[in-house]
Amino acid sequence: MPVRVQAEDFDAGAEILALRRGNPKIGALASFIGLVRDVNNGEPVTGMTLEHYPGMTEKALENIVSEAQSRWDVLDALVIHRVGLLLPTDQIVLVVVSSAHRGDAFAACEFIMDYLKTRAPFWKKEQTAQGTRWVEARETDDRSAERWEKMSPASAAHRPR
Amino acid sequence: MPVRVQAEDFDAGAEILALRRGNPKIGALASFIGLVRDVNNGEPVTGMTLEHYPGMTEKALENIVSEAQSRWDVLDALVIHRVGLLLPTDQIVLVVVSSAHRGDAFAACEFIMDYLKTRAPFWKKEQTAQGTRWVEARETDDRSAERWEKMSPASAAHRPR
Amino acid sequence: MLKLLYFARLRESLGTDSEAVELAPSVRDVAGLMDWLRTRGGSWSEELAPGRTVRVSVNLEMAEATTPVRDGDEVALFPPVTGG
Amino acid sequence: MLKLLYFARLRESLGTDSEAVELAPSVRDVAGLMDWLRTRGGSWSEELAPGRTVRVSVNLEMAEATTPVRDGDEVALFPPVTGG
């Protein structure tokens, strides 16, 4: 399965290596790591707890990866998302996409992140000096996801190969 | 220096880790690896030799990274490009960009690759069953680079944060 | 019986993460279920007030107001997602 | 003296990777240098023919036909780049 939800940290380098190793069809590998920052909306953050919906979260992520594979020439893809307590500089999410060409790899990787942000059931609760607070969904994330809906198949295909 | 041209292979995982380690301002890290495929334009490729222009190549890469840093909120960036003889599945190039937000990281990483493809003095000579041949520049690479020129500062800024 | 799940802010303010409920005959879709849950009053009518943004899934798929709800379904209520 | 460098296909077809040349007084810019090199004939006039795509750099910066060329400059001729 190209999707994992776990409390444990991950080794991004090892995952990237495992995805690309021995496949001479891969010309491009795009990856993304999301990390816990020590500030959000101008306020210091000391940590966060990530909650998810076991069963639905994995299914949603698999659907997002399938959608990416139907839109671009993707050879392989991987999503790892952590849950539980995370501290600043901790890794939250890893997305890796391999393809023959860089345009497909970049587009599919960014698409997966944008859709994950708006469609995969995860919720962040931040710890600040004032206590804990649930993070509000961002309108900019909705706009990022909508970019891909407005994109016609023709313009989606007009990416570098 | 955020730019290296070398014959030796690189450890992408270690480079990513070194770039992000201990910086709690980083919320997003986008990276790209270019790899040697065993086929190009439908013909089997057994290997390739990469030539560069020592001095100018490093300068061109530094200019491209600076240009990316002036366009987007980039915290740190790294480019490693190999030269010499490379075989299928070998790594050619690594680009890593860290930022507070994913839109900046993705855009800067893809921009660096697109500009590198059209502006950094590297030349590939492929080995096939028919002998060796210099790889022709691709028109699609020019179009990919031109995307960023047509992009107004306003639309460049209208990326997810 | 219907399995109801609550996540994140809703789980905390409603004070429960799950319950099994006998479906009232009037409840045929997500909108009907929300109306019915609001009749509980208190934090139920507050959190599920029409102005509040609450997402609903039925059997692990995102649902809309008109999505049918049937006996045996698993329905979850939660705020907009904030992962990644 | 002008330092001339050749890369990739040009290096191979011209049979040299570098040379030092005394600048003819007529050569003031990249276009003039190309004209002058073409007068060598043979593969020079072939590879540097106006229809061929040759890129030129002057002192490590990409140059155009009108870029000035002066004594002491390092000028490189090469095909469009194909790295990455």
Side-chain angles (χ1 to χ4, degrees), chain A residues 72-83:
Chain A
W72 294 280
D73 283 336
V74 169
L75 288 167
D76 219 341
L78 169 73
V79 178
I80 303 178
H81 200 297
R82 294 177 69 193
V83 290

Side-chain angles (χ1 to χ4, degrees), chain D residues 60-73:
Chain D
L60 309 186
E61 297 280 2
M62 288 307 299
E64 297 174 7
T66 56
T67 304
V69 169
R70 293 187 193 87
D71 210 45
D73 283 350

Side-chain angles (χ1 to χ4, degrees), chain B:
Chain B
M1 263 308 159
V3 158
R4 279 181 258 157
V5 178
Q6 61 188 47
E8 308 79 54
D9 197 10
F10 50 80
D11 180 340
E15 299 294 347
I16 290 170
L17 196 61
L19 202 89
R20 74 170 177 81
R21 185 175 269 160
N23 185 348
K25 303 299 166 217
I26 301 176
L29 193 145
S31 57
F32 178 84
I33 301 173
L35 299 143
V36 182
R37 292 189 300 143
D38 65 0
V39 67
N40 192 17
N41 295 328
E43 261 190 274
V45 172
T46 56
M48 62 168 61
T49 306
L50 264 148
E51 180 172 333
H52 78 302
Y53 179 174
M56 179 168 173
T57 305
E58 292 81 353
K59 197 177 173 198
L61 292 176
E62 281 162 22
N63 288 345
I64 293 167
V65 170
S66 297
E67 176 74 22
Q69 285 172 319
S70 75
R71 290 185 181 217
W72 294 281
D73 283 336
V74 169
L75 288 167
D76 218 341
L78 169 72
V79 178
I80 303 178
H81 200 297
R82 295 177 69 193
V83 291
L85 176 65
L86 299 176
L87 303 176
T89 77
D90 277 355
Q91 300 183 113
I92 304 170
V93 60
L94 173 70
V95 177
V96 189
V97 175
S98 64
S99 174
H101 304 286
R102 76 184 185 287
D104 291 296
F106 272 119
C109 189
E110 193 166 7
F111 169 89
I112 289 171
M113 272 309 301
D114 284 347
Y115 267 40
L116 184 157
K117 280 263 180 188
T118 53
R119 301 183 180 201
F122 291 102
W123 300 275
K124 279 177 187 153
K125 191 177 193 176
E126 284 178 349
Q127 295 167 358
T128 72
Q130 282 72 48
T132 62
R133 62 178 180 202
W134 289 100
V135 174
E136 298 276 327
R138 304 168 71 112
E139 207 195 307
T140 53
D141 285 331
D142 287 333
R143 282 209 303 273
S144 300
E146 280 163 16
R147 284 188 302 162
W148 304 102
E149 283 159 40
K150 276 179 279 182
M151 190 178 278
S152 69
S155 72
H158 185 62
R159 306 267 309 195
R161 290 186 63 84

Side-chain angles (χ1 to χ4, degrees), chain A residues 51-53 55-56 59 81 92-93 116-125 134-137, chain C residues 5-9 11-12 55 57 59-62 74-76 78-84:
Chain A
E51 182 173 332
H52 78 304
Y53 180 175
M56 180 169 172
K59 198 178 170 197
H81 200 297
I92 304 170
V93 61
L116 184 157
K117 280 263 179 188
T118 53
R119 302 184 180 199
F122 291 102
W123 301 275
K124 279 177 187 154
K125 192 177 193 177
W134 289 101
V135 174
E136 298 276 328
Chain C
L5 301 175
Y6 308 98
F7 290 96
R9 192 195 70 233
R11 175 177 53 73
E12 288 187 349
R55 303 274 192 248
S57 68
N59 299 327
L60 310 186
E61 297 279 2
M62 288 307 299
E74 175 173 308
V75 178
F78 44 78
V81 306
T82 56

Side-chain angles (χ1 to χ4, degrees), chain A residues 17-37:
Chain A
L17 196 60
L19 203 89
R20 75 171 177 81
R21 184 175 270 160
N23 186 348
K25 303 299 165 214
I26 302 176
L29 194 146
S31 57
F32 179 84
I33 301 173
L35 301 141
V36 181
R37 292 188 302 142

